[in-house]
Amino acid sequence: MKNIEMRKIWIGFSSVVILSFIALIWVGTEIYQTQPPIPDLVIVSETGAVVFTKNDIQTGQNVWESIGGMEVGSIWGHGSYVAPDWTADWIHKEAVFMLDAWARKDYNDNYDNLGVEEKAALKARLIKNVKTNTYNHTTKSITISKARYDAIKQNSSYYATIFSEGHEQYAIQKGALVDTEKLAQLNAFLFWTSWAASTNRPNETYTYTSNWPHEPLIDNTITPDSQIWSGFSVVLLLLFIGVLTYYYIRNHEKGEAVVQPNEDPLTDILLTRSQKSVLKYFIVISLLIGLQIILGILTVHYTVEGQAFFGFDLASILPYAITRTWHTQLAVFWIAATWLATGLFLAPMISGKEMKYQVFGINFLFSALLVIVLGSLLGEWLGVHQFLDLTTNFFFGHQGYEYMDLGRFWQIFLAVGLVLWVIMVGRHVLYGIRKNDDTKHLLIILLISVIAIGMFFFSGLMYGENSSLPVINYWRWWLVHLWVEGFFEVFATVVIAFIFLRMKILSAKTAGKASIASATIFLAGGIIGTLHHLYYSGTPVQAIALGATFSALEVVPLTLMGFEIRENWNLLKSNQWIQNYKWPIFFFIAVAFWNMVGAGVFGFLINPPIALYYIQGLNTTAVHAHTALFGVYGMLGMGFIIICLRFYSDRKWNNQKLKRAFWFLNIGLSAMVILSLLPVGIIQAYTSITKGYSFARDAELLYSPVVQTLKWLRMIGDIIFSVGIFYFCWFAIQETIYCLKKRN
C-alpha cells in the first residue's frame, strides 16, 4: 500500500516537472520568434539619412554591458535603482522634446502652456508618430520622422554628457565612458530599447513590451491582458491557499511516529578527513559575508552622496557600478558556497564512508572558488574602468547582467567546478540509495536536486556576446530563478529533512514523502513562475498569462510557513538534548518567517502584472530582494554553517555571540525595510501610477527632502544588521579555527 502511495507521489512530481518545462520552453520559442527586431538600418523618412545601423545597436549593447549594464540604472525595469531606467527616461525626454518643438512651431509657445484641445491634437500626432510600427521586413529597416530624429540627436547629446562628464545624483562617475564612438553606439542601443517599448507590435494595439513603461504622453497604459491575468492570479492564490491548507491539516499528522531518543544520537558521530577539509570554506565564506556588507554600506551611501563617501572621492576608484556589482555577486557566491560546502560535509554521513579522492576534490574546489571570486571581481573592475576591449570584457570582465555579472570565462570555470561537485556529492548519495533502506526516496530526491544544481547553472551559458536582450533575459532568469529559487530550494528542503532524520526526530519514510511532496508543490509554481520576471521584457503575452498564473502558485506554500515555525519551536521543547541545536533551529525558524514575509508577502506585492507594470525596478523590488535573498537564503546558509560546526565541534558552546547575531540580523533587516526601503518604494509607486514611471525614477523625487530623510533612516537598520553580521562571522571563524585544530 505504501509503495503505491509513493508511486503516486513520484508520478505527481515527474508530471509537474515535465509539463512545466514544456510550457517554459514553449514560451521561450515564442520569445525567439516574436522578439522586437533589430533593424539593419534606422532611416529618416524625409531625407533618407542613416541614423543607426544594426552594428551600432548591437555594439552599443556591448558598450552598455561594459560600463556595468544593469548596475548603472536599468533597461525595461531590470537593474539598479539610483540612475534612471534609461528606456523610460529616453521615451519621456523624446516625447517632451517633440511636443515642445511642434508647440513652438504651430502655436509659438511651449506645450505645457497650451489649451486642452491644442495639447490633445499634438499628443495624437506624437502617438501616431512613435507608436506606428515602421519596420520593413523586406529591407529590415525602420523609418523615423525628421521630428523624431531631432529628438534623438538631443537625447544622444544629453546622455553622452552624462556618461562622459559624470552625474552625481545618478552615482555615475566622471569619465565612465569617454570614447565618442562608443558613446554614439550606446545611444543607438538606448534608442532601440525605447523604440521597442513605444512601438506597437505588428497588428496589435500594444508595444513589444506590452505598453511598459507607464508613459501618459504616448498613451502607454496597462493592457487589458495584464489586468485580466492579475485578477485571475489573485483568485487562484486564494483558491489554492484553501486547497493546500486543507491538504496540510488532513495529512501533516499522518507521518510515521518516532520515539525521540533521550540523548543526542549524533554525539558519537564518526567524522572524516573530508569533513575537516570542508571547514576552511566557512572561514572564507565568513570573510566574504563581511566584505559583502562593507560593499553594501558603500553602495547604499552612494544613493545619498552620489560620488563620495562622507566627502572622500571614492567613485574614481570604486564607482557605484563596481560596489553594487560586487555586493550582489558576493551574496550569490557566499550563499551558494555555503550550500555546496554543506553538501560536501554531509556526503560521508549519507553514504557512511569516505570515498576515494574526496579530500583532493574538496581542496581543488576550494582553490577554484578563490580563483573565481578574486578573478571575476578583478575582471569586473577592469571592465568597468574600460581597460578591456568589448569581447575581452564579455569573457573576463563585466557581462552587465544583475546577479550574473561575472565574465563568461569565470562562468565556465564555475560550471566545471559544479560538475565536479555533482560527482563528489552524487556518488555518496547514489551509494546511499543502493542500500535500498527506508532513506531511499529521500536520497533519490536529493540526488535529483544535486544533479539539477549542476545542470541548470549551464543555462547561463545559453546566450552569446551578441544575443538580443529578450533572449538574454529569458536565460538569465533560468539561472537566477530556476537555479536558486527552484532546485536549490529543493536541495535545502531535503538537506534539512536529512539532518532531522539523523537526529532521529523524523522518520525516513515521513522525510522522503514530505520532501517529494514539498518539491512538487514548490516546482509546480516555481518553474513556470520564472516568467513573472519577463512580463515586460520584449516577450509575448503568453509570458504574462502563464507567469501571472503560476507565480501566484509560488506564494501558496509560503503562506503555510507559520505552521513550520510552530513545529520547529515545539521541537525545541521536546527534549533537553535538542537545546544543543537551538541556534541552527532558530535560523531555520527565521528562514520560514522570511519565506512567508519576504518571499511570500513582499514577493506577491510585485508579482501580479498590474503591480509589476507600475513598480518594477522601484524600491519595492529591493524590499523583496533583501528579505528573500538574505532573509531566506542567507539565513539558511548561516544555519547550515552552524549545524555543520555543531556536528564537528566537541565542546559546549557559549551561545551569546549566536544569540546576538540572530537577533541583530533579524531586527536590523526588519528596520531596514520598515524605516526606509518600503516607504521609499510606496512613494515611488504612487508617483509611477499617478504621473508615469520615469517620474518615479527621477532624481527630483529621489533627492527630495522626504525621500532623502528616509534614505538616511536606513542607517538605523543597517548598523543593527552589521552588528549581527560581525557577531556571526566572529563566532563562525572562531569555532571553525577550533575545529581545524581539533584532532579527529
Side-chain angles (χ1 to χ4, degrees), residues 214-264:
H214 179 217
E215 178 50 72
L217 290 178
I218 63 169
D219 273 3
N220 255 17
T221 55
I222 191 164
T223 63
D225 285 310
S226 292
Q227 294 172 312
I228 290 168
W229 289 109
S230 295
F232 186 62
S233 72
V234 174
V235 172
L236 275 183
L237 174 66
L238 297 174
L239 171 64
F240 280 99
I241 284 176
V243 171
L244 190 61
T245 303
Y246 171 76
Y247 173 84
Y248 181 87
I249 292 173
R250 189 172 183 270
N251 291 281
H252 87 291
E253 299 291 352
K254 293 184 178 180
E256 193 173 62
V258 175
V259 178
Q260 294 181 10
N262 293 321
E263 295 181 356
D264 187 350

CSV table of all heavy atoms in Angstrom, one decimal, residues 214-264:
chain,number,residue,atom,x,y,z
A,214,HIS,N,4.9,52.8,-18.0
A,214,HIS,CA,3.7,53.7,-18.0
A,214,HIS,C,4.2,55.1,-18.4
A,214,HIS,O,5.0,55.8,-17.7
A,214,HIS,CB,3.2,53.7,-16.6
A,214,HIS,CG,2.0,54.6,-16.4
A,214,HIS,ND1,1.8,55.4,-15.3
A,214,HIS,CD2,1.0,55.0,-17.2
A,214,HIS,CE1,0.7,56.1,-15.4
A,214,HIS,NE2,0.2,55.9,-16.6
A,215,GLU,N,3.7,55.6,-19.5
A,215,GLU,CA,4.0,56.9,-20.0
A,215,GLU,C,2.8,57.6,-20.6
A,215,GLU,O,2.4,57.3,-21.8
A,215,GLU,CB,5.2,56.9,-21.1
A,215,GLU,CG,5.6,58.2,-21.7
A,215,GLU,CD,5.8,59.3,-20.6
A,215,GLU,OE1,6.9,59.2,-19.9
A,215,GLU,OE2,5.0,60.2,-20.5
A,216,PRO,N,2.1,58.4,-19.9
A,216,PRO,CA,0.8,59.0,-20.3
A,216,PRO,C,1.0,59.8,-21.6
A,216,PRO,O,0.0,59.9,-22.4
A,216,PRO,CB,0.4,60.0,-19.2
A,216,PRO,CG,1.1,59.4,-18.0
A,216,PRO,CD,2.4,58.8,-18.5
A,217,LEU,N,2.2,60.4,-21.9
A,217,LEU,CA,2.3,61.3,-23.1
A,217,LEU,C,2.1,60.5,-24.4
A,217,LEU,O,1.8,61.1,-25.4
A,217,LEU,CB,3.7,62.0,-23.1
A,217,LEU,CG,3.9,63.1,-22.0
A,217,LEU,CD1,5.3,63.6,-22.1
A,217,LEU,CD2,2.8,64.2,-22.2
A,218,ILE,N,2.4,59.2,-24.4
A,218,ILE,CA,2.3,58.4,-25.6
A,218,ILE,C,1.2,57.3,-25.4
A,218,ILE,O,1.1,56.4,-26.2
A,218,ILE,CB,3.6,57.7,-26.1
A,218,ILE,CG1,4.1,56.8,-25.0
A,218,ILE,CG2,4.6,58.8,-26.4
A,218,ILE,CD1,5.3,55.9,-25.5
A,219,ASP,N,0.4,57.5,-24.4
A,219,ASP,CA,-0.7,56.5,-24.1
A,219,ASP,C,-0.1,55.1,-23.8
A,219,ASP,O,-0.8,54.1,-24.2
A,219,ASP,CB,-1.7,56.5,-25.2
A,219,ASP,CG,-2.8,57.5,-25.0
A,219,ASP,OD1,-2.7,58.3,-24.0
A,219,ASP,OD2,-3.8,57.6,-25.8
A,220,ASN,N,1.0,55.0,-23.2
A,220,ASN,CA,1.5,53.7,-22.7
A,220,ASN,C,0.8,53.5,-21.4
A,220,ASN,O,1.2,54.0,-20.4
A,220,ASN,CB,3.0,53.7,-22.6
A,220,ASN,CG,3.7,53.0,-23.6
A,220,ASN,OD1,3.2,52.7,-24.7
A,220,ASN,ND2,5.0,52.6,-23.4
A,221,THR,N,-0.3,52.7,-21.4
A,221,THR,CA,-1.0,52.4,-20.2
A,221,THR,C,-1.2,50.9,-20.1
A,221,THR,O,-1.0,50.2,-21.1
A,221,THR,CB,-2.4,53.0,-20.2
A,221,THR,OG1,-3.1,52.6,-21.4
A,221,THR,CG2,-2.3,54.6,-20.2
A,222,ILE,N,-1.5,50.4,-19.0
A,222,ILE,CA,-1.6,49.0,-18.7
A,222,ILE,C,-2.6,48.3,-19.7
A,222,ILE,O,-3.7,48.8,-19.9
A,222,ILE,CB,-1.9,48.6,-17.3
A,222,ILE,CG1,-1.7,47.2,-17.0
A,222,ILE,CG2,-3.3,49.1,-16.9
A,222,ILE,CD1,-1.6,46.8,-15.5
A,223,THR,N,-2.2,47.1,-20.2
A,223,THR,CA,-3.1,46.4,-21.2
A,223,THR,C,-4.2,45.6,-20.5
A,223,THR,O,-4.1,45.3,-19.3
A,223,THR,CB,-2.3,45.5,-22.0
A,223,THR,OG1,-1.7,44.5,-21.2
A,223,THR,CG2,-1.1,46.2,-22.8
A,224,PRO,N,-5.3,45.4,-21.2
A,224,PRO,CA,-6.3,44.5,-20.6
A,224,PRO,C,-5.8,43.1,-20.2
A,224,PRO,O,-6.3,42.6,-19.2
A,224,PRO,CB,-7.4,44.4,-21.8
A,224,PRO,CG,-7.2,45.7,-22.6
A,224,PRO,CD,-5.7,46.0,-22.5
A,225,ASP,N,-4.9,42.6,-21.0
A,225,ASP,CA,-4.3,41.3,-20.6
A,225,ASP,C,-3.7,41.3,-19.3
A,225,ASP,O,-3.9,40.4,-18.5
A,225,ASP,CB,-3.3,40.9,-21.7
A,225,ASP,CG,-3.9,40.4,-23.0
A,225,ASP,OD1,-4.8,39.6,-22.9
A,225,ASP,OD2,-3.4,40.9,-24.0
A,226,SER,N,-2.9,42.4,-19.0
A,226,SER,CA,-2.2,42.5,-17.7
A,226,SER,C,-3.3,42.6,-16.6
A,226,SER,O,-3.1,42.0,-15.5
A,226,SER,CB,-1.3,43.7,-17.7
A,226,SER,OG,-0.2,43.5,-18.5
A,227,GLN,N,-4.3,43.3,-16.8
A,227,GLN,CA,-5.4,43.4,-15.8
A,227,GLN,C,-6.1,42.1,-15.6
A,227,GLN,O,-6.4,41.7,-14.4
A,227,GLN,CB,-6.4,44.6,-16.2
A,227,GLN,CG,-5.7,45.9,-16.3
A,227,GLN,CD,-6.6,47.0,-16.9
A,227,GLN,OE1,-7.3,46.7,-17.9
A,227,GLN,NE2,-6.8,48.1,-16.2
A,228,ILE,N,-6.5,41.5,-16.6
A,228,ILE,CA,-7.3,40.2,-16.5
A,228,ILE,C,-6.5,39.2,-15.8
A,228,ILE,O,-7.0,38.5,-14.9
A,228,ILE,CB,-7.7,39.7,-17.9
A,228,ILE,CG1,-8.8,40.7,-18.5
A,228,ILE,CG2,-8.3,38.3,-17.8
A,228,ILE,CD1,-9.1,40.5,-20.0
A,229,TRP,N,-5.2,39.0,-16.2
A,229,TRP,CA,-4.4,37.9,-15.6
A,229,TRP,C,-4.0,38.2,-14.2
A,229,TRP,O,-3.8,37.3,-13.4
A,229,TRP,CB,-3.2,37.6,-16.5
A,229,TRP,CG,-3.6,36.9,-17.8
A,229,TRP,CD1,-3.6,37.4,-19.0
A,229,TRP,CD2,-4.1,35.6,-17.9
A,229,TRP,NE1,-4.1,36.5,-19.9
A,229,TRP,CE2,-4.4,35.4,-19.3
A,229,TRP,CE3,-4.4,34.6,-17.0
A,229,TRP,CZ2,-4.9,34.2,-19.7
A,229,TRP,CZ3,-4.9,33.4,-17.5
A,229,TRP,CH2,-5.2,33.2,-18.8
A,230,SER,N,-3.9,39.5,-13.9
A,230,SER,CA,-3.7,39.9,-12.5
A,230,SER,C,-4.8,39.4,-11.6
A,230,SER,O,-4.7,38.9,-10.5
A,230,SER,CB,-3.5,41.4,-12.4
A,230,SER,OG,-2.3,41.8,-13.0
A,231,GLY,N,-6.0,39.7,-12.0
A,231,GLY,CA,-7.2,39.3,-11.3
A,231,GLY,C,-7.3,37.8,-11.1
A,231,GLY,O,-7.6,37.3,-10.0
A,232,PHE,N,-7.0,37.1,-12.2
A,232,PHE,CA,-7.1,35.7,-12.2
A,232,PHE,C,-6.1,35.1,-11.2
A,232,PHE,O,-6.3,34.1,-10.5
A,232,PHE,CB,-6.8,35.1,-13.6
A,232,PHE,CG,-7.0,33.7,-13.8
A,232,PHE,CD1,-8.2,33.1,-13.5
A,232,PHE,CD2,-5.9,32.9,-14.1
A,232,PHE,CE1,-8.4,31.7,-13.7
A,232,PHE,CE2,-6.1,31.5,-14.3
A,232,PHE,CZ,-7.3,30.9,-14.0
A,233,SER,N,-4.9,35.7,-11.2
A,233,SER,CA,-3.8,35.2,-10.3
A,233,SER,C,-4.2,35.4,-8.8
A,233,SER,O,-3.9,34.5,-8.0
A,233,SER,CB,-2.5,36.0,-10.5
A,233,SER,OG,-2.6,37.3,-10.0
A,234,VAL,N,-4.9,36.4,-8.5
A,234,VAL,CA,-5.4,36.6,-7.1
A,234,VAL,C,-6.5,35.6,-6.7
A,234,VAL,O,-6.4,35.0,-5.6
A,234,VAL,CB,-6.0,38.1,-6.9
A,234,VAL,CG1,-6.6,38.2,-5.5
A,234,VAL,CG2,-4.9,39.1,-7.1
A,235,VAL,N,-7.4,35.3,-7.7
A,235,VAL,CA,-8.4,34.3,-7.4
A,235,VAL,C,-7.7,32.9,-7.2
A,235,VAL,O,-8.1,32.2,-6.3
A,235,VAL,CB,-9.4,34.3,-8.6
A,235,VAL,CG1,-10.3,33.1,-8.5
A,235,VAL,CG2,-10.2,35.5,-8.7
A,236,LEU,N,-6.8,32.6,-8.1
A,236,LEU,CA,-6.1,31.3,-7.9
A,236,LEU,C,-5.3,31.2,-6.6
A,236,LEU,O,-5.3,30.2,-6.0
A,236,LEU,CB,-5.1,31.1,-9.1
A,236,LEU,CG,-5.6,30.6,-10.4
A,236,LEU,CD1,-4.5,30.4,-11.4
A,236,LEU,CD2,-6.3,29.2,-10.2
A,237,LEU,N,-4.7,32.3,-6.2
A,237,LEU,CA,-4.0,32.4,-5.0
A,237,LEU,C,-4.9,32.0,-3.8
A,237,LEU,O,-4.6,31.1,-3.0
A,237,LEU,CB,-3.4,33.7,-4.7
A,237,LEU,CG,-2.7,34.0,-3.4
A,237,LEU,CD1,-1.4,33.1,-3.3
A,237,LEU,CD2,-2.3,35.4,-3.2
A,238,LEU,N,-6.0,32.6,-3.7
A,238,LEU,CA,-7.0,32.4,-2.7
A,238,LEU,C,-7.5,30.9,-2.7
A,238,LEU,O,-7.6,30.2,-1.7
A,238,LEU,CB,-8.2,33.3,-2.7
A,238,LEU,CG,-7.8,34.8,-2.5
A,238,LEU,CD1,-9.0,35.7,-2.8
A,238,LEU,CD2,-7.3,35.1,-1.1
A,239,LEU,N,-7.8,30.4,-3.9
A,239,LEU,CA,-8.3,29.1,-4.1
A,239,LEU,C,-7.3,28.0,-3.6
A,239,LEU,O,-7.6,27.2,-2.8
A,239,LEU,CB,-8.6,28.8,-5.6
A,239,LEU,CG,-9.0,27.4,-5.9
A,239,LEU,CD1,-10.3,26.9,-5.2
A,239,LEU,CD2,-9.2,27.2,-7.4
A,240,PHE,N,-6.0,28.2,-4.1
A,240,PHE,CA,-5.1,27.1,-3.7
A,240,PHE,C,-4.5,27.3,-2.3
A,240,PHE,O,-4.0,26.3,-1.8
A,240,PHE,CB,-3.9,27.2,-4.8
A,240,PHE,CG,-4.3,26.5,-6.1
A,240,PHE,CD1,-4.7,27.2,-7.2
A,240,PHE,CD2,-4.3,25.1,-6.1
A,240,PHE,CE1,-5.1,26.5,-8.3
A,240,PHE,CE2,-4.6,24.4,-7.3
A,240,PHE,CZ,-5.0,25.1,-8.4
A,241,ILE,N,-4.6,28.4,-1.7
A,241,ILE,CA,-4.3,28.5,-0.3
A,241,ILE,C,-5.3,27.7,0.5
A,241,ILE,O,-4.9,26.9,1.4
A,241,ILE,CB,-4.3,30.0,0.2
A,241,ILE,CG1,-3.0,30.7,-0.3
A,241,ILE,CG2,-4.4,30.1,1.7
A,241,ILE,CD1,-3.0,32.2,0.1
A,242,GLY,N,-6.5,27.8,0.1
A,242,GLY,CA,-7.5,27.0,0.8
A,242,GLY,C,-7.3,25.5,0.5
A,242,GLY,O,-7.4,24.7,1.5
A,243,VAL,N,-7.0,25.1,-0.7
A,243,VAL,CA,-6.8,23.7,-1.0
A,243,VAL,C,-5.6,23.2,-0.3
A,243,VAL,O,-5.6,22.1,0.3
A,243,VAL,CB,-6.6,23.5,-2.6
A,243,VAL,CG1,-6.1,22.1,-2.9
A,243,VAL,CG2,-7.9,23.8,-3.3
A,244,LEU,N,-4.5,23.9,-0.3
A,244,LEU,CA,-3.3,23.4,0.3
A,244,LEU,C,-3.4,23.4,1.9
A,244,LEU,O,-2.9,22.5,2.5
A,244,LEU,CB,-2.1,24.3,0.0
A,244,LEU,CG,-0.7,23.8,0.4
A,244,LEU,CD1,-0.4,22.4,-0.3
A,244,LEU,CD2,0.4,24.8,0.0
A,245,THR,N,-4.1,24.4,2.4
A,245,THR,CA,-4.4,24.3,3.9
A,245,THR,C,-5.2,23.1,4.3
A,245,THR,O,-4.8,22.4,5.3
A,245,THR,CB,-5.1,25.6,4.3
A,245,THR,OG1,-4.4,26.8,3.9
A,245,THR,CG2,-5.3,25.6,5.8
A,246,TYR,N,-6.2,22.8,3.5
A,246,TYR,CA,-7.0,21.6,3.7
A,246,TYR,C,-6.1,20.3,3.6
A,246,TYR,O,-6.1,19.4,4.5
A,246,TYR,CB,-8.1,21.5,2.7
A,246,TYR,CG,-8.8,20.1,2.8
A,246,TYR,CD1,-9.8,19.9,3.8
A,246,TYR,CD2,-8.6,19.2,1.8
A,246,TYR,CE1,-10.4,18.7,3.8
A,246,TYR,CE2,-9.2,17.9,1.8
A,246,TYR,CZ,-10.2,17.7,2.8
A,246,TYR,OH,-10.8,16.5,2.9
A,247,TYR,N,-5.2,20.3,2.6
A,247,TYR,CA,-4.3,19.1,2.4
A,247,TYR,C,-3.4,19.0,3.6
A,247,TYR,O,-3.1,17.9,4.1
A,247,TYR,CB,-3.6,19.3,1.1
A,247,TYR,CG,-2.5,18.2,0.9
A,247,TYR,CD1,-2.8,17.0,0.3
A,247,TYR,CD2,-1.2,18.5,1.3
A,247,TYR,CE1,-1.8,16.0,0.2
A,247,TYR,CE2,-0.2,17.5,1.1
A,247,TYR,CZ,-0.5,16.3,0.5
A,247,TYR,OH,0.4,15.4,0.3
A,248,TYR,N,-2.8,20.1,4.0
A,248,TYR,CA,-1.9,20.2,5.1
A,248,TYR,C,-2.5,19.7,6.4
A,248,TYR,O,-1.9,18.8,7.1
A,248,TYR,CB,-1.3,21.6,5.3
A,248,TYR,CG,-0.3,21.7,6.4
A,248,TYR,CD1,1.1,21.5,6.1
A,248,TYR,CD2,-0.6,22.0,7.7
A,248,TYR,CE1,2.0,21.6,7.1
A,248,TYR,CE2,0.3,22.2,8.7
A,248,TYR,CZ,1.7,21.9,8.4
A,248,TYR,OH,2.6,22.0,9.4
A,249,ILE,N,-3.6,20.2,6.8
A,249,ILE,CA,-4.3,19.8,8.0
A,249,ILE,C,-4.7,18.3,8.0
A,249,ILE,O,-4.6,17.6,9.0
A,249,ILE,CB,-5.5,20.7,8.2
A,249,ILE,CG1,-5.1,22.2,8.5
A,249,ILE,CG2,-6.4,20.2,9.4
A,249,ILE,CD1,-6.2,23.1,8.6
A,250,ARG,N,-5.1,17.9,6.8
A,250,ARG,CA,-5.5,16.5,6.7
A,250,ARG,C,-4.4,15.5,6.7
A,250,ARG,O,-4.6,14.3,7.2
A,250,ARG,CB,-6.3,16.3,5.4
A,250,ARG,CG,-7.0,15.0,5.2
A,250,ARG,CD,-7.9,15.0,4.0
A,250,ARG,NE,-8.6,13.8,3.8
A,250,ARG,CZ,-8.2,12.7,3.1
A,250,ARG,NH1,-7.0,12.8,2.5
A,250,ARG,NH2,-8.9,11.6,3.0
A,251,ASN,N,-3.2,15.9,6.3
A,251,ASN,CA,-2.1,14.9,6.1
A,251,ASN,C,-0.9,15.1,6.9
A,251,ASN,O,-0.1,14.1,7.1
A,251,ASN,CB,-1.6,14.9,4.6
A,251,ASN,CG,-2.7,14.4,3.6
A,251,ASN,OD1,-2.9,13.2,3.5
A,251,ASN,ND2,-3.4,15.3,3.0
A,252,HIS,N,-0.7,16.3,7.5
A,252,HIS,CA,0.6,16.5,8.1
A,252,HIS,C,0.9,15.7,9.4
A,252,HIS,O,2.0,15.5,9.8
A,252,HIS,CB,0.9,18.0,8.4
A,252,HIS,CG,0.4,18.5,9.7
A,252,HIS,ND1,-1.0,18.6,9.9
A,252,HIS,CD2,1.0,18.9,10.8
A,252,HIS,CE1,-1.1,19.1,11.1
A,252,HIS,NE2,0.0,19.3,11.7
A,253,GLU,N,-0.2,15.2,10.0
A,253,GLU,CA,-0.1,14.4,11.2
A,253,GLU,C,0.0,12.9,10.9
A,253,GLU,O,0.2,12.1,11.8
A,253,GLU,CB,-1.3,14.7,12.2
A,253,GLU,CG,-1.5,16.1,12.6
A,253,GLU,CD,-0.4,16.6,13.6
A,253,GLU,OE1,0.4,15.7,14.0
A,253,GLU,OE2,-0.3,17.8,13.9
A,254,LYS,N,0.0,12.6,9.6
A,254,LYS,CA,0.0,11.2,9.3
A,254,LYS,C,1.3,10.6,9.1
A,254,LYS,O,1.5,9.5,8.6
A,254,LYS,CB,-0.9,11.0,8.0
A,254,LYS,CG,-2.4,11.3,8.2
A,254,LYS,CD,-3.1,11.0,7.0
A,254,LYS,CE,-4.6,11.2,7.2
A,254,LYS,NZ,-5.4,10.9,6.0
A,255,GLY,N,2.4,11.3,9.4
A,255,GLY,CA,3.7,10.8,9.3
A,255,GLY,C,3.9,9.6,10.3
A,255,GLY,O,3.2,9.5,11.3
A,256,GLU,N,4.9,8.8,10.1
A,256,GLU,CA,5.3,7.7,10.9
A,256,GLU,C,5.7,8.2,12.3
A,256,GLU,O,6.6,9.1,12.4
A,256,GLU,CB,6.4,6.9,10.3
A,256,GLU,CG,6.6,5.5,10.9
A,256,GLU,CD,7.5,4.7,10.1
A,256,GLU,OE1,8.7,5.1,9.9
A,256,GLU,OE2,7.1,3.6,9.6
A,257,ALA,N,5.2,7.7,13.3
A,257,ALA,CA,5.5,8.1,14.7
A,257,ALA,C,7.0,7.8,15.0
A,257,ALA,O,7.5,6.7,14.6
A,257,ALA,CB,4.6,7.5,15.7
A,258,VAL,N,7.6,8.7,15.7
A,258,VAL,CA,9.0,8.5,16.0
A,258,VAL,C,9.2,8.7,17.5
A,258,VAL,O,8.7,9.7,18.1
A,258,VAL,CB,10.0,9.5,15.3
A,258,VAL,CG1,11.4,9.3,15.8
A,258,VAL,CG2,9.9,9.3,13.8
A,259,VAL,N,9.9,7.7,18.2
A,259,VAL,CA,10.2,7.9,19.6
A,259,VAL,C,11.5,8.6,19.7
A,259,VAL,O,12.6,8.0,19.3
A,259,VAL,CB,10.2,6.5,20.3
A,259,VAL,CG1,10.6,6.7,21.8
A,259,VAL,CG2,8.9,5.8,20.1
A,260,GLN,N,11.5,9.8,20.1
A,260,GLN,CA,12.7,10.6,20.2
A,260,GLN,C,13.6,10.1,21.2
A,260,GLN,O,13.2,9.8,22.4
A,260,GLN,CB,12.4,12.1,20.4
A,260,GLN,CG,11.6,12.7,19.3
A,260,GLN,CD,11.3,14.2,19.6
A,260,GLN,OE1,11.9,14.8,20.5
A,260,GLN,NE2,10.5,14.8,18.7
A,261,PRO,N,14.9,10.0,20.9
A,261,PRO,CA,15.9,9.5,21.9
A,261,PRO,C,16.1,10.5,23.1
A,261,PRO,O,15.8,11.7,22.9
A,261,PRO,CB,17.2,9.4,21.1
A,261,PRO,CG,17.0,10.3,20.0
A,261,PRO,CD,15.6,10.3,19.6
A,262,ASN,N,16.5,9.9,24.2
A,262,ASN,CA,16.7,10.8,25.4
A,262,ASN,C,18.1,11.5,25.4
A,262,ASN,O,18.3,12.4,26.1
A,262,ASN,CB,16.6,9.9,26.7
A,262,ASN,CG,15.2,9.4,26.9
A,262,ASN,OD1,14.2,10.1,26.6
A,262,ASN,ND2,15.0,8.2,27.3
A,263,GLU,N,19.0,11.0,24.5
A,263,GLU,CA,20.3,11.6,24.4
A,263,GLU,C,20.6,11.9,22.9
A,263,GLU,O,20.0,11.3,22.0
A,263,GLU,CB,21.4,10.6,25.0
A,263,GLU,CG,21.2,10.4,26.5
A,263,GLU,CD,22.3,9.5,27.0
A,263,GLU,OE1,23.1,9.0,26.1
A,263,GLU,OE2,22.4,9.2,28.2
A,264,ASP,N,21.5,12.8,22.7
A,264,ASP,CA,21.8,13.2,21.4
A,264,ASP,C,22.4,12.0,20.6
A,264,ASP,O,23.5,11.5,20.9
A,264,ASP,CB,22.9,14.4,21.4
A,264,ASP,CG,23.2,15.0,20.1
A,264,ASP,OD1,22.7,14.4,19.1
A,264,ASP,OD2,23.9,16.0,20.0
